[in-house]
Amino acid sequence: MSQAGMPNTSLVSAEMIQRYLEAFAAEKGLMPHIRFNSWVQNVDRCALGWRLRANNCYYESKKLILACGTSSVPGGVHFRVEPGASVCHSRDVAANLPEIEASRHVVVVGAAKSAYDMTYLLCSLGKRVTWLMRPDGSGPMPMMPYKIAGMHIVAIGSTRLMSYLSPSIFNTQTWLASFFHRTAIGRWLTRMSWRFFNYMCDKTAGFWKANGMGILKPEPNELSCFWFTSALGMITKGDFWGTLQKGNLSVARDSIDVAREGSVLLRSGKVIECEYVISATGWGDHFGFLSPSLRAELGIPSYENEGEKHVFWEAYDRNAKESVLKSMPLLAESPKRGEVTPDLKLQWRLYNRCIPFECAQREDRSVAVLGQLYTVQTSTVAEIQALWAISYMLGELDLPDDKVMIREISEFQAWCGLRYSIFGERYPCAAFDWIGYLDRLLEDMGLRSHRKNNIFSEYFSPYGPETYRDCLQEYIAKRSNTSA
Ligand SMILES: Cc1cc2nc3c(=O)[nH]c(=O)nc-3n(C[C@H](O)[C@H](O)[C@H](O)COP(=O)(O)OP(=O)(O)OC[C@H]3O[C@@H](n4cnc5c(N)ncnc54)[C@H](O)[C@@H]3O)c2cc1C
C-alpha cells in the first residue's frame, strides 16, 4: 500500500484506502466489470439464477454475492421535522458542510462513533455544540486510545491470548478457554484485564478531572469496553479529548421531539435555539432491495417478527442459550438496560455468518452474504470470509449436516446477544473473537489456522493482514494438488 496520504500518527487514512482499492481494481482488470453509480433497487430469482434491477437496467447471473456493507443507508430520524428545519444524517455532512459552517449553534443527536466524530468536527470548527443522547439508550460509546503502553490497541486486541480473554463461541472447547471461563481464577483474570483497558480509556479521557467530560463516561462502569453495550470506538486524533474539553460543548441525556426552523423542542420540554441538527443515530435497512419472503429464505432479519420461522428456531435458540451459559458462565452477568423487546432483536440465520441456511439445506450454492460480521479486523476477515464463501459456491467445500448447521447458527445467535449485549442482539459481532472465526474457516478449507512460527508468537504476537497474506496462494496450490 502506498504511504502517500499517511497522517503523522502513522495510521491508515481513508485517502490511502481509496487509492489502494482503485489501484487494486485497475491492476486486476476489474474496472470494466464495475457499474458505477448503480443502486440496486430489487433482487429476485429468475430462470438463470438471480435478477437484479439497478437504475432501470436488469442484470442476470447464475450466482449472487451480497456485499452491500452495513453503513450505506442512513437510519430514520426519530423526531418530527417541521418545514424550514435544517436536519441531515451524519453520512451527508460533507455535502451539507457550507450550511453547517454558516451555523452558529449545532445540535448533534447520537451516542456512538459518528456522534463523537461530528462533535469533534464541530468543536474544531469553533461551533457551539449541544450533544444529545437519549436517556433510555445504552449511553456514550467507550472510546479507546489507539495506543496503550506504546502498543497499538488493535494489535493488542489481535493476539490469540486476547481472543481467549473474551468468552468466545469459537474456542469454548479448548483447555485455555476452560481455564479462563470455567474457573473462578480465570474469570477473575478476564475481568481484571478488561478493567485495565477500561481504566486506560477513562484516564485518556480524563473522566476524573473537573473538565466537564464526566457525562461521557460509558456504562457499565469498569467493564464498558468488555460488554460493548454501545459498541466500541478508537481515537485516532491526538487532540480528540482536548478539542472536546476546550470546545463550546454541552452534553445532555435528552431527545428531540420536534425540529423547527431555528430551534428544537426537547422531550424534557426545553427549547434550544440552533441553526442545524445532525442526526448521528446509525444506519437503516441495507437489505431493502429484498422482498420479505426472499429475506426470510436468505436468513436475513426482516426487522419484523420471524413468524412461522420463529417457531422452527425457538427450541434450538433456547437450548443454544443454555449451552452457551453453561460453557461461559460469565455471560450470565451480561448487562441489559431493561428487557430487550423482540422488535429490537434481529435473527440472522446464516451458517458461518455468510451462507443462508435454507439454501444450504437444499444444496443451492448460488448465493452468499458477506461483510455482516462486526470485528476489529474488517479487511482481514473480509478476505478470508470471501475465500471460504467462494470455495463453497464453487462446490469445493463440504458442509456439515443440517443438525450441525442449525446448532452453529443458533449458538452463535445466542452467544452474540449474551456476549455483546444489546448490540449483539441486533448485529452479528465477533469484535474480539475474529481469530477463532478465521481458524474455523481456514480449517474448513484445509489451510493452516495457527500461522505463527512458535508457541510464544502464536499467543503473544498480533495476528493481522500480513499473517494471512499467503492464504489465497496456499488455497490455489491445494486446489491444483487435489485436481492433479
Ligand atoms: C463513520 C464510519 C467510520 C468508520 N471508521 C472505520 C475505521 O476507522 N477503521 C475501520 O477499519 N473501519 C471503519 N469503519 C467500518 C468500515 O467502513 C466497514 O467495516 C467497511 O467499510 C466494510 O466494508 P464492506 O465492503 O463490507 O462495506 P462498505 O464499505 O459499506 O461497502 C458496501 C458498498 O456497497 C454499496 N451498496 C450498498 N447497497 C447497495 C445497493 N442497494 N446497490 C448498489 N450498491 C450498494 C455501497 O454503496 C458501498 O459501496 C467505519 C464505518 C463508518 C460508518
Side-chain angles (χ1 to χ4, degrees):
M1 177 182 274
S2 159
Q3 308 290 298
M6 182 182 270
N8 55 13
T9 47
S10 78
L11 295 169
V12 178
S13 65
E15 190 187 332
M16 288 163 76
I17 300 258
Q18 177 71 18
R19 209 172 291 153
Y20 171 79
L21 290 175
E22 281 176 17
F24 181 87
E27 187 192 311
K28 306 289 176 195
L30 295 175
M31 286 298 197
H33 303 287
I34 303 175
R35 301 284 170 271
F36 290 103
N37 300 316
S38 298
W39 188 255
V40 175
Q41 289 140 319
N42 184 261
V43 170
D44 226 329
R45 288 191 182 273
C46 68
L48 181 66
W50 295 95
R51 188 171 207 242
L52 280 70
R53 181 164 58 86
N55 302 359
N56 292 324
C57 290
Y58 288 90
Y59 302 89
E60 291 194 354
S61 68
K62 281 189 185 165
K63 310 248 177 193
L64 174 70
I65 295 176
L66 299 176
C68 55
T70 58
S71 50
S72 294
V73 179
V77 168
H78 302 285
F79 48 86
R80 204 171 82 230
V81 179
E82 290 191 348
S86 295
V87 179
C88 84
H89 186 267
S90 49
R91 185 196 68 167
D92 302 319
V93 160
N96 290 288
L97 202 55
E99 205 184 334
I100 294 168
E101 277 188 306
S103 305
R104 199 181 47 86
H105 187 178
V106 182
V107 170
V108 176
V109 186
K113 181 69 167 54
S114 302
Y116 279 92
D117 285 348
M118 293 302 111
T119 305
Y120 171 81
L121 171 76
L122 294 165
C123 288
S124 313
L125 292 172
K127 302 292 160 200
R128 182 168 168 215
V129 187
T130 299
W131 184 0
L132 300 176
M133 298 179 198
R134 64 192 168 100
D136 54 344
S138 309
M141 173 192 256
M143 296 292 280
M144 284 192 155
Y146 82 91
K147 273 191 175 172
I148 286 184
M151 283 176 73
H152 196 293
I153 188 73
V154 174
I156 299 175
S158 299
T159 58
R160 200 171 275 281
L161 178 71
M162 265 312 287
S163 76
Y164 280 92
L165 286 171
S166 168
S168 169
I169 193 72
F170 298 109
N171 61 24
T172 9
Q173 299 316 328
T174 57
W175 67 268
L176 211 48
S178 283
F179 167 69
F180 278 118
H181 306 300
R182 293 193 281 283
T183 67
I185 179 143
R187 287 196 292 275
W188 181 82
L189 278 169
T190 304
R191 279 198 201 91
M192 290 312 282
S193 329
W194 284 94
R195 276 192 187 151
F196 170 72
F197 291 121
N198 253 71
Y199 166 79
M200 292 309 287
C201 290
D202 292 359
K203 190 172 161 224
T204 317
F207 286 138
W208 305 294
K209 297 180 192 154
N211 57 12
M213 293 292 105
I215 192 166
L216 291 176
K217 187 162 166 43
E219 295 166 18
N221 275 341
E222 301 185 332
L223 284 175
S224 54
C225 295
F226 175 76
W227 286 115
F228 217 77
T229 36
S230 318
L232 192 60
M234 188 178 79
I235 300 165
T236 51
K237 302 270 187 192
D239 63 345
F240 182 82
W241 287 112
T243 304
L244 262 53
Q245 282 163 25
K246 280 187 239 132
N248 188 355
L249 169 68
S250 44
V251 185
R253 295 297 290 263
D254 209 334
S255 309
I256 298 180
D257 260 353
V258 191
R260 304 182 170 126
E261 185 174 357
S263 70
V264 287
L265 168 65
L266 304 186
R267 194 144 303 166
S268 60
K270 204 171 160 188
V271 174
I272 297 180
E273 288 186 9
C274 63
E275 292 81 39
Y276 213 93
V277 178
I278 299 177
S279 173
T281 47
W283 305 99
D285 180 4
H286 45 279
F287 288 108
F289 47 78
L290 297 174
S291 66
S293 61
L294 197 49
R295 279 172 101 107
E297 186 192 333
L298 297 183
I300 291 169
S302 63
Y303 289 73
E304 285 161 25
N305 203 306
E306 277 186 310
E308 276 175 32
K309 298 243 183 304
H310 182 65
V311 179
F312 172 83
W313 286 99
E314 206 169 22
Y316 296 115
D317 287 345
R318 205 174 32 249
N319 292 341
K321 190 170 177 181
E322 277 171 26
S323 142
V324 167
L325 284 173
K326 204 167 153 196
S327 52
M328 291 169 262
L330 185 60
L331 298 186
E333 296 168 24
S334 183
K336 293 269 155 72
R337 296 190 121 231
E339 188 52 30
V340 180
T341 52
D343 61 312
L344 279 176
K345 294 185 186 186
L346 296 179
Q347 311 286 349
W348 298 76
R349 304 303 182 186
L350 297 169
Y351 175 65
N352 271 352
R353 321 289 73 74
C354 47
I355 302 303
F357 169 67
E358 275 190 32
C359 301
Q361 224 182 355
R362 51 170 198 268
E363 269 296 316
D364 169 3
R365 296 191 178 221
S366 70
V367 60
V369 183
L370 303 184
Q372 298 301 312
L373 184 66
Y374 283 81
T375 74
V376 295
Q377 284 280 7
T378 305
S379 50
T380 310
V381 173
E383 183 172 355
I384 306 299
Q385 190 188 56
L387 188 58
W388 185 91
I390 286 164
S391 157
Y392 157 82
M393 291 175 97
L394 293 174
E396 295 173 1
L397 211 68
D398 290 330
L399 291 186
D401 65 26
D402 290 0
K403 258 177 148 172
V404 176
M405 282 197 282
I406 289 171
R407 200 176 65 227
E408 195 277 342
I409 292 168
S410 49
E411 284 193 348
F412 179 84
Q413 183 82 31
W415 167 79
C416 198
L418 290 163
R419 172 65 188 88
Y420 293 111
S421 192
I422 294 164
F423 187 85
E425 294 274 14
R426 294 179 67 73
Y427 308 109
C429 180
F432 311 117
D433 321 272
W434 63 274
I435 296 178
Y437 173 65
L438 294 194
D439 285 354
R440 183 183 285 181
L441 301 187
L442 291 169
E443 283 160 22
D444 268 4
M445 292 186 284
L447 302 182
R448 215 158 36 90
S449 58
H450 287 55
R451 303 186 66 82
K452 303 285 180 174
N453 296 331
N454 60 62
I455 188 112
F456 183 82
S457 311
E458 191 55 62
Y459 284 88
F460 295 99
S461 89
Y463 268 69
E466 66 290 348
T467 323
Y468 297 94
R469 184 174 44 198
D470 300 326
C471 285
L472 178 59
Q473 294 314 322
E474 287 170 20
Y475 185 71
I476 292 170
K478 190 180 157 287
R479 225 173 153 209
S480 38
N481 286 344
T482 319
S483 56

